[in-house]
Amino acid sequence: VQLQASGGGLVQAGGSLTLSCAASGIIFSIYGMRWYRQAPGKQRELVAGITRGGNTNYADSVKGRFTISRDNAENTVYLQMNSLKLEDTAVYYCKVVERDLWGEGTQVTVSS
């Protein structure tokens, strides 16, 4: 059972990145999925979630800029991040909602 996150990197403010989280060893389609992030010196915070039915929710800080989506055929959840800000710099983690199952994290660094 594994969640493999990827897609992080260094991007200038105002730019875009798309994170991916590929699941293996689980029946992906029956689970809700979430993206969290943790900036240096701060607590881990919820960024976005998507139910197994495709309903989404977002932290106020990313509404209108980030989009979470899922492809059950590919066992993958995505986080499209647009209009990135310096304060979006963090390690981003994916998680299965109904289980204590986390990806290993991918670093997103936004520069000025």
Side-chain angles (χ1 to χ4, degrees):
V1 179
Q2 186 178 13
L3 296 178
Q4 183 70 44
S6 61
L10 176 63
V11 63
Q12 285 192 324
S16 299
L17 279 176
T18 299
L19 306 183
S20 300
C21 175
S24 59
I26 61 171
I27 304 173
F28 179 78
S29 61
I30 70 172
Y31 293 110
M33 296 294 297
R34 289 174 177 165
W35 284 97
Y36 290 79
R37 67 186 180 187
Q38 188 165 18
K42 294 188 177 182
Q43 289 189 329
R44 193 170 296 188
E45 63 174 352
L46 176 63
V47 175
I50 186 166
T51 68
R52 63 181 183 180
N55 294 318
T56 60
N57 64 281
Y58 299 92
D60 288 343
S61 59
V62 307
K63 278 181 182 176
R65 300 189 298 121
F66 290 11
T67 302
I68 188 171
S69 61
R70 65 189 300 156
D71 184 339
N72 289 338
E74 296 293 328
N75 289 352
T76 301
V77 61
Y78 302 96
L79 186 67
Q80 173 69 42
M81 306 184 295
N82 298 326
S83 302
L84 282 161
K85 303 177 180 180
L86 297 179
E87 53 263 42
D88 294 318
T89 294
V91 179
Y92 285 72
Y93 301 89
C94 54
K95 183 188 181 298
V96 176
V97 173
E98 295 88 350
R99 294 179 59 173
D100 187 22
L101 180 60
W102 292 83
E104 78 281 7
T106 185
Q107 175 71 47
V108 172
T109 302
V110 184
S111 64
S112 58

